[in-house]
Amino acid sequence: MSGRQKSLIRLGINIDHVATLRQARRTSYPDIMQAAKLALSGGADSITVHLREDRRHIQDGDVTLLVAENGLRLNLEMAITEEMVNIACGLSPENCCLVPEKREELTTEGGLDVAGQLEKVSSAVDRLTQAGVRVALFIDAEAEQLEAAVAAGCEVIELHTGMYADAKEGADRDRELARLTAAANKAEELGITVHAGHGLTVQNVSAIAALPQVEELNIGHAIVARAVFIGIANAVAEMKQAIRKAETT
Ligand code: PXP
């Protein structure tokens, strides 16, 4: 048995790429709400969407619909801009995750530099918290960023697992896993809740799901890609099974 004492890991499913497919033709399908409901039926505990500044996939109307859906826990990923903070404060999703954003990137490339922009992050955390949103900061596995998250008044962090996922199996991946393990331990010492995500697949999720501090995983690309072949509910169920197995062995 692992050292996990608390409840089982929650799985958040990022459905941005369902919207990517829709926006490729500017059609009304595939339907975001249908995707969200199917993900929930497959065992997702929450739905994540990233409203990007360039609106390349998720649109404002998608967020409005998802927030309004009864029984759907929404996690809104967003950059710290005046526009996004205003939108989130207005809609008040249950959760939000603050991420860095570059227009030219294919996906979020690194964690948020909380230490380097403490005032800006603190102010966003404060405004969102006052609007009733539970805020997480997406950060790299670095002690300095964890300490800065505490200084910013944030109680939840999402550890960026992208470097771990991209690392070659063997020494490189072990080194990235050791960094994540150390960060998860440090977060526990600091009393911060740990989420994790980025680049996770059925093949690489086990070591992350086995970290006892991890309470939530957010996974998107691998799920939507797999859904092309087996459907979204089955893809979510498959991932959940891999996570459960890792938690209990
Ligand atoms: N967590 C955060 C903060 C992200 O930005 C993303 C990508 O949108 C994910 C998790 C999910 O990453 P992936 O799509 O690689 O599973």
Side-chain angles (χ1 to χ4, degrees), residues 14 16-17 50 77 97 99 107-108 138 158 197-200 218-222:
N14 181 318
D16 289 350
H17 293 320
H50 185 172
E77 280 179 16
C97 183
V99 301
T107 180
T108 315
F138 184 57
E158 180 169 321
H198 212 282
L200 297 176
N218 283 299
I219 308 182
H221 181 70

Side-chain angles (χ1 to χ4, degrees), residues 1-19:
M1 288 288 286
S2 72
R4 183 171 295 280
Q5 305 273 311
K6 49 181 177 44
S7 30
L8 296 170
I9 292 176
R10 295 184 303 274
L11 175 58
I13 298 297
N14 181 318
I15 55 172
D16 289 350
H17 293 320
V18 175

Side-chain angles (χ1 to χ4, degrees), residues 141-220:
E142 290 166 5
E144 186 196 14
Q145 298 299 341
L146 284 159
E147 279 156 6
V150 175
C154 203
E155 291 165 3
V156 188
I157 52 108
E158 180 169 321
L159 286 176
H160 183 7
T161 53
M163 269 90 76
Y164 158 82
D166 290 343
K168 240 174 73 190
E169 260 184 274
D172 288 355
R173 186 166 289 180
D174 291 350
R175 192 189 55 241
E176 292 303 329
L177 183 59
R179 288 182 60 213
L180 289 162
T181 305
N185 286 333
K186 172 90 181 169
E188 188 176 12
E189 264 172 53
L190 293 170
I192 308 179
T193 299
V194 180
H195 299 173
H198 212 282
L200 297 176
T201 64
V202 163
Q203 287 74 34
N204 68 21
V205 75
S206 308
I208 304 301
L211 296 175
Q213 296 87 0
V214 171
E215 296 193 12
E216 178 175 305
L217 292 173
N218 283 299
I219 308 182

